[in-house]
Amino acid sequence: MGSSDEKVVAVIMVGGPTKGTRFRPLSLNIPKPLFPLAGQPMVHHPISACKRIPNLTQIFLIGFYEEREFALYVSSISNELKVPVRYLREDKPHGSAGGLYNFRDRIMEDNPSHIVLLNCDVCCSFPLPEMLEAHKKYGGMGTILVIKVSAESASQFGELVADPVTNELLHYTEKPETFVSDRINCGVYIFTPDIFNAVEGVSTQWKDRADLRRLSSFESLHSATRNAPTHFVRLDQDILSPLAGKKQLYTYETLDFWEQIKTPGMSLKCSGLYLAQFRFTNPHLLVSGDGTKSASITGDVYVHPSAKVHPSAKIGPNVSISANARIGPGARLISCIILDNVEIKEHAVVIHSIVGWKSSIGRWSRVQATGDYNSKLGITILGEAVTVEDEVVVINSIVLPHKTLNVSVQEEIIL
């Protein structure tokens, strides 16, 4: 154990209901951070990663969902990990840095020496202990997890330039129009408490500008500057960009997987990435079977203990089956997420799809897609309590909750 002055707290930004619109129809039933990937809530993966940090004292979840939506999960995960997990609700969006600053007194109550900050919708291996060691050696205010991506995709994220020897952050720009670098910001950070001084400095600057604008009739004509609230501070544009090149921020590069979970398609891809990681971190969560006494299992598959899978079913790879699901004789499941209380009847096929809570797929039916995770209709999504009747084929479609399909559909959104 380290000394008492080496306490670490973790903060995970979970957003709110206005932020998960691209995740519909799945977010109609459950907050996006609680949607299961590889059988565990999305936010569970970064929380579990935080547990590996030495001297961790608390984990905070910050967002603007109602507290009741997280109460049960926060209670159970605190007991499971034996680490206090608390949900802090924002009264209004404060920005990624402003939200951190808004709860600075709660975050600093244990007087931590380091603050780990993560975004909930990031999928990666979260090399936090290694990143913390690097951060201590750098001696700066903050360290950013970065990854190398293709030049074509880099512009979708925050691009950065770092010193190849010292790893100091030299330049940072958010979603540039022209190519800057193939290294991007992963949305995982480690800061010293000095981050709060940096955020306060930005707020003070904006307040001073607001005071000046009251004296300037010319400025009053520019609504974009007039309406900038002093409490809303963005980590990327307002903190990282101005502090780049000032020997305060450094980078730590991961060579492992990384994705951003913005859509249901990406959640299916990330579920597969986490299942593959379980081989090394949680092999007991993966099932096996050869088709004799239990179902034939190929690749990485998670099955909840309460689910019932017929021995003649063939499951995998990349399949997650949730609580109380029932998988019938001869069913074939490939690259899919099966949610609670789903019934998949005899000889049904599910490929590249997410099957919503309490849905039913009939005998000899097919629910499938091409598996293009970045396309809107690249996977098939059935919302809650959707019934696909016998011998119906559903391809590359999205079906909203409580619908019954008795005819085949392809590339449709069923409202």
Side-chain angles (χ1 to χ4, degrees), residues 146-193:
V146 306
I147 193 169
K148 182 178 180 180
V149 298
S150 68
E152 295 76 32
S153 63
S155 62
Q156 302 170 39
F157 308 100
E159 296 182 25
L160 53 89
V161 177
D163 186 298
V165 177
T166 65
N167 294 322
E168 183 197 350
L169 179 69
L170 300 177
H171 180 72
Y172 184 90
T173 180
E174 185 70 15
K175 298 179 181 176
E177 293 183 5
T178 57
F179 178 76
V180 173
S181 167
D182 57 4
R183 261 64 176 188
I184 63 165
N185 176 4
C186 291
V188 177
Y189 314 88
I190 296 178
F191 291 111
T192 65

Side-chain angles (χ1 to χ4, degrees), residues 265 268 334-336 349-354 366-373 375-381 393-398 409-411:
L268 181 54
I334 301 172
S335 184
C336 58
V349 175
V350 182
I351 303 174
H352 297 309
S353 301
I354 298 176
R366 296 181 70 92
V367 174
Q368 64 185 73
T370 56
D372 180 355
Y373 300 120
S375 170
K376 186 173 184 179
L377 295 178
I379 71 166
T380 289
I381 304 166
V393 178
V394 183
I395 301 175
N396 289 81
S397 295
I398 297 174
V409 295
Q410 182 170 353
E411 296 185 355

Side-chain angles (χ1 to χ4, degrees), residues 15 85 108 132 169 175 289 302 379 402 411:
V85 179
M108 291 302 298
L132 179 58
L169 179 69
K175 298 179 181 176
Y302 167 84
I379 71 166
H402 307 287
E411 296 185 355

Side-chain angles (χ1 to χ4, degrees), residues 82 175 259 415:
K82 305 294 187 288
K175 298 179 181 176
E259 296 289 350
L415 300 175

Side-chain angles (χ1 to χ4, degrees), residues 303-309 321-327:
V303 178
H304 191 276
S306 66
K308 301 277 193 298
V309 181
I321 300 175
S322 297
N324 301 308
R326 300 176 303 287
I327 313 301

